[in-house]
Amino acid sequence: MTGLPWYTSFAPERGTLPPRAWTADSDAARLPLGGDWAFRLSPAADAADTSFAGPGFDAGDWRTVTVPGHWVLQGKDGEFGGPAYTNVVYPFPVDPPHVPDENPTGDHLRRFDLPDGWPDGGGAVLRFDGVESCARVWLNGTELGWFKGSRLAHEFAVGPLLRERDNVLAVRVHQWSSGSYLEDQDQWWMPGIFRDVTLLHRPDGAPGDFFVHASYDHAAGTGELRVDCDVPGRVRVPELGVDVAAGESVTVPVEPWSAEVPRLYEGELTAGGERIGLRIGFRSVYVEDGVLKANGRRILFRGVNRHEFHPETGRALDLGTMRADVELMKRHNINAVRTSHYPPHPAFLDLCDAYGLWVIDEGDLETHGFEELGWRGNPVDDERWTPALLDRAARLVERDKNHPSVVLWSLGNECGTGAGLRATARWIRDRDPSRPVHYEGDRSCPEVDVYSRMYPPHAEVGTIGRREDEGPEHRRELPFILCEYAHAMGNGPGGLTEYQRLFETYERCQGGFVWEWIDHGLAHPVHGYGYGGDFGEELHDGNFVCDGLLFPDRTPSPGLVEYKKVIEPVRIAPGERPGTALVSNLHDVADLSSLAFVWEFLADGEAVAEGGLAVPPLTAGERVEVELPPVPAHPAGAEAVWTVRAVLAADTVWAPAGHEVAWGQLPVSAPRPLPAGSGAGPVADGGRILLGPAVLDARTGAPLSLGGLPVSAFGLDVWRAPTDNDEGAPWQPDTRWGTLWRELGLHRMQHRTDAVAVDGEGVTVRSRVAPAARDVGLAVTYRWTSDGTGVRLGVDVVPEGDWPVPLPRLGVRLGLPAALDRAQWYGGGPGEAYPDTRAAARLGIWESTVAGLQTPYVRPQENGARIGTRWLELTGPDAGVRVEGEPSFWFTARRWTHADLDAAAHRPDLVPGDTLWLNLDHALHGIGSQSCGPGVLPEHRLEAAPASFSLWFTPTGG
Ligand code: GAL
């Protein structure tokens, strides 16, 4: 072979039109070309000839795929191959720009007629919104050209080739191309025509491109509008009385656009026989005094990184799914999105404009796999690639430049450093000076307007916040954002509250973007949701692809519920004066007039009174102490708490009136103490001891039954099935707790009973719990007493030896009959909580089935703990048990053991058994974020230390 085949040449395209602004709102005729396409898969780029593109080709024996779609997710039983997941490494030898001979190639054919009413005359363009990884295109036997850049739009002029009837569109797609070297994002490799294909009529003289410049002067309260267009035209915005020529500036009083108040003005551009709808948002975004500002105000990103993902269709998303994402974000107080790591489907940005989200729009560029090679041969530092890099930058900016929601351009992700990257930054800045430029991968920050980092520990964020960080002088002048933080893999992320405090403390710290929005678990016939390795990949990165705040089916995980609470734009806390609530408006822009405040007064978890609370419409940043009503009458000795909630006063586009935005609880009095549990002494009965409603084993002191309900396997428990964050990442060997805990043997602790002493009042059991082969242990004393109706258990734990690691948990575990399948508790809820993921747990009386207590992480792991439990009732059809605790306790209840949970790799591996395993914990180790980020903060580590706690058990009816 001589020369490089087109798909491995350095050139990004041949025959395409220059990129331009995209709008779905124009009156030009259009023909969507989605639907069923004839499809043929070949194992290599040159395994089949190109005669299929010629006239009269018979594709009768071809298969069918749906466009938009990835072929690897279609067909029966993997007949079209499968998806493959790698995080950093390329799944082929790194020898740019070459790709393997095994290069799955999908030939696609679509016949179409022009619809009735297709205008005579004029031209037409054929538009591809996204094809992975490259496409060569023919229409009616004529080759139009080819392109790379999977998540970028490409158009061809096709006017003269079109026929009224029986047009044949042929597209050859290769999975691998030189472009693949630039698309090493952490996600599934999934080839196909995965975004829309559209035929668009272009009237003669229609505009090629238009650029809406709409800035806001906050001092004057005016907006300046200028719409540039490459042909003469007129711009009208009736609401503003604007009617000017394209290219002409006009300044008018306006309301600005922001994520909180996304004010859009409807307008139109008429040019060259085409009418284009405009939705104009006036806003200015800039760095001033080292702070990123919009319309004169500091903004704080409460953001997420969003990949495009659907468990059935991969990156082919319909509008409903995009809208679901935006609505879910708005309902969870999220105000910003980084489009990691490529420009999204263009319709997503229309939604961001309309609903209000700040967007960091990122280029389709990542060369992370070169890091493994010490960045040798990195394309962003090799001038042969610079035209491809510039092409990608231009296709990002030109397509998306008219969206008010886009406030920063991001060059790409994890590409190291290089001259090519600097060239793209300069090109972008020159083309659109109105938006700051972002890139995380170059710590010296030569070409960017914000200092951006991923996963810095809290302490470092504080240092940066104080502008005490070392490094280039000019960098300290920049605002600081975390383009990624709080790795939401599995259970977690922990530590969100502490990050938020830093963002609120230091002006320079302007928030961040949680990694990431959704788990990329793909529907799998056996595993429910599959991750890396489940589709036969030789090289893969396992479940690192499941690290989102949403489960694959878009059910919010506890992490999202926690994030919503942590970033709530209104904080409700106890006031300094008794009988008051301190209400702070943490919005960047909005006052509180869109919210209504309501209160409930809880006594022992029951609402005894409720009402509305008058809160002044504080402006952004203000706070006030609000007088609460007089304390309502409530039972003596009850634990009393105010709950104050801020809800939407009226319907919005993203949620109905009454939707809860923020809440706070203000304690009034302490929980009731436990019953003393004395008066009914133990009675020896052969090998058993009768103690009130309980029967204990005389040899071990362990309970055998309670009110007739069998109890098994009672004992101290310190183990948990390690979470992804417990397992940690290779670069943190000293805190990979999963490994260190197993090495120490915490998953196979041995229990020794040293003494069972019966006295007139109760039974005292002394025991030692320790791992084999080690000299560390826990001396445990259980003290059982009763008043005849219930039994009280006092537990004292004293560590022995030098404990090298924190404990996963500390509490007791027991087995109960699985028939107890309903839980009701008074404590934190309704969802799970851990020491550093507890902000969203609200005190109340909650109910769930046992099945409903489980959090279905895609890779099973410790989950489902409920915090601050005052009492818990587990009930079956015939019998039940009530547990109270002092201090309050954590509980988990599940029909499999820790070992089962630990062994399971996918959800269906967990099969309910005959025993309900109940853990009643005094303390838990935190969660942290070290599956990629920092570990558990010192205050949330469960160090081995002396501990005492009490529980009270009573039998209840069914
Ligand atoms: C970052 C990267 C993301 C993702 C994340 C870990 O380094 O930018 O794409 O890989 O780590 O999930």
Side-chain angles (χ1 to χ4, degrees), residues 761-822:
E761 282 292 308
V763 180
T764 302
V765 183
R766 291 187 200 290
S767 70
R768 187 168 188 279
V769 180
R774 306 288 177 157
D775 62 358
V776 293
L778 300 165
V780 191
T781 306
Y782 305 102
R783 171 71 178 164
W784 297 92
T785 56
S786 173
D787 66 353
T789 61
V791 276
R792 182 175 171 128
L793 168 64
V795 183
D796 293 303
V797 182
V798 180
E800 296 176 346
D802 209 357
W803 278 83
V805 292
L807 297 172
R809 65 170 3 107
L810 183 67
V812 295
R813 172 215 54 223
L814 57 158
L816 293 165
L820 307 191
D821 60 356
R822 279 173 291 134

Side-chain angles (χ1 to χ4, degrees), residues 52-75:
F52 75 103
F57 182 82
D58 178 8
D61 59 348
W62 284 26
R63 304 300 312 275
T64 301
V65 290
T66 301
V67 171
H70 305 278
W71 72 71
V72 289
L73 300 184
Q74 304 189 44

Side-chain angles (χ1 to χ4, degrees), residues 87 186 341 413-414 454-455 484 487 515 544 547 932:
N87 167 14
D186 173 6
H341 300 299
N413 186 56
E414 296 185 316
M454 41 176 83
Y455 311 106
E484 292 177 30
H487 197 246
W515 187 267
F544 204 65
D547 52 2
C932 192

Side-chain angles (χ1 to χ4, degrees), residues 396-530:
L396 161 76
V397 171
E398 300 299 4
R399 193 195 74 168
D400 294 345
K401 58 186 180 282
N402 293 333
H403 289 281
S405 56
V406 174
V407 289
L408 273 84
W409 297 118
S410 176
L411 304 182
N413 186 56
E414 296 185 316
C415 295
T417 60
L421 217 48
R422 288 199 291 279
T424 64
R426 286 181 198 143
W427 184 90
I428 291 175
R429 206 186 291 290
D430 187 49
R431 175 64 178 142
D432 179 20
S434 80
R435 289 175 175 98
V437 171
H438 169 269
Y439 176 62
E440 184 271 348
D442 190 346
R443 294 278 172 88
S444 60
C445 295
E447 297 290 346
V448 296
D449 300 297
V450 293
Y451 177 27
S452 175
R453 290 279 301 281
M454 41 176 83
Y455 311 106
H458 297 77
E460 192 183 358
V461 173
T463 306
I464 296 172
R466 293 185 291 276
R467 298 191 199 264
E468 288 170 358
D469 47 313
E470 311 211 321
E473 188 61 43
H474 79 277
R475 195 177 71 190
R476 267 189 297 286
E477 308 298 316
L478 301 179
F480 179 62
I481 65 167
L482 287 80
C483 68
E484 292 177 30
Y485 80 117
H487 197 246
M489 185 179 183
N491 187 334
L496 287 170
T497 300
E498 292 81 359
Y499 275 117
Q500 201 63 23
R501 293 293 169 274
L502 291 162
F503 303 158
E504 289 168 11
T505 304
Y506 300 108
E507 183 186 50
R508 184 188 189 191
C509 297
Q510 299 199 250
F513 297 77
V514 166
W515 187 267
E516 65 176 302
W517 177 235
I518 184 167
D519 284 343
H520 308 210
L522 281 170
H524 188 283
V526 178
H527 298 316
Y529 290 114

Side-chain angles (χ1 to χ4, degrees), residues 665-866:
Q665 285 189 312
L666 324 174
V668 177
S669 56
R672 293 179 190 268
L674 279 195
S678 60
V683 179
D685 175 32
R688 311 180 312 164
I689 302 167
L690 311 182
L691 183 70
V695 178
L696 309 184
D697 183 321
R699 198 174 49 82
T700 63
L704 298 172
S705 69
L706 183 75
L709 204 65
V711 174
S712 60
F714 171 87
L716 192 87
D717 194 355
V718 296
W719 182 236
R720 74 181 183 199
T723 64
D724 292 317
N725 286 314
D726 290 336
E727 299 289 8
W731 55 90
Q732 294 149 330
D734 297 345
T735 51
R736 298 198 77 174
W737 303 126
T739 306
L740 298 172
W741 286 339
R742 283 192 188 92
E743 271 172 22
L744 189 62
L746 297 190
H747 57 312
R748 45 171 170 72
M749 297 288 268
Q750 298 186 10
H751 297 244
R752 185 184 77 214
T753 307
D754 289 334
V756 180
V758 181
D759 57 54
E761 282 292 308
V763 180
T764 302
V765 183
R766 291 187 200 290
S767 70
R768 187 168 188 279
V769 180
R774 306 288 177 157
D775 62 358
V776 293
L778 300 165
V780 191
T781 306
Y782 305 102
R783 171 71 178 164
W784 297 92
T785 56
S786 173
D787 66 353
T789 61
V791 276
R792 182 175 171 128
L793 168 64
V795 183
D796 293 303
V797 182
V798 180
E800 296 176 346
D802 209 357
W803 278 83
V805 292
L807 297 172
R809 65 170 3 107
L810 183 67
V812 295
R813 172 215 54 223
L814 57 158
L816 293 165
L820 307 191
D821 60 356
R822 279 173 291 134
Q824 192 183 40
W825 72 99
Y826 171 39
E832 77 179 24
Y834 287 80
D836 52 353
T837 64
R838 58 181 295 173
R842 171 181 339 207
L843 186 63
I845 297 175
W846 308 102
E847 274 183 8
S848 170
T849 59
V850 166
L853 291 171
Q854 319 308 315
T855 307
Y857 292 111
V858 172
R859 185 191 76 81
Q861 53 196 274
E862 165 66 26
N863 71 84
R866 300 306 194 273

Side-chain angles (χ1 to χ4, degrees), residues 234-306:
R234 281 215 78 75
V235 176
R236 292 188 192 84
V237 188
E239 193 183 343
L240 295 173
V242 169
D243 184 349
V244 292
E248 198 178 302
S249 281
V250 51
T251 299
V252 276
V254 294
E255 295 166 45
W257 186 98
S258 69
E260 288 170 9
V261 187
R263 180 69 162 99
L264 290 175
Y265 291 88
E266 301 279 334
E268 64 176 24
L269 165 68
T270 45
E274 194 175 0
R275 179 199 164 278
I276 295 168
L278 304 175
R279 280 179 303 164
I280 303 161
F282 292 89
R283 50 125 199 80
S284 293
V285 182
Y286 47 90
V287 175
E288 187 178 65
D289 302 330
V291 175
L292 182 68
K293 294 184 179 174
N295 307 326
R297 288 170 177 275
R298 170 186 186 254
I299 55 175
L300 182 58
F301 292 129
R302 302 163 161 96
V304 288
N305 280 279
R306 175 182 180 270

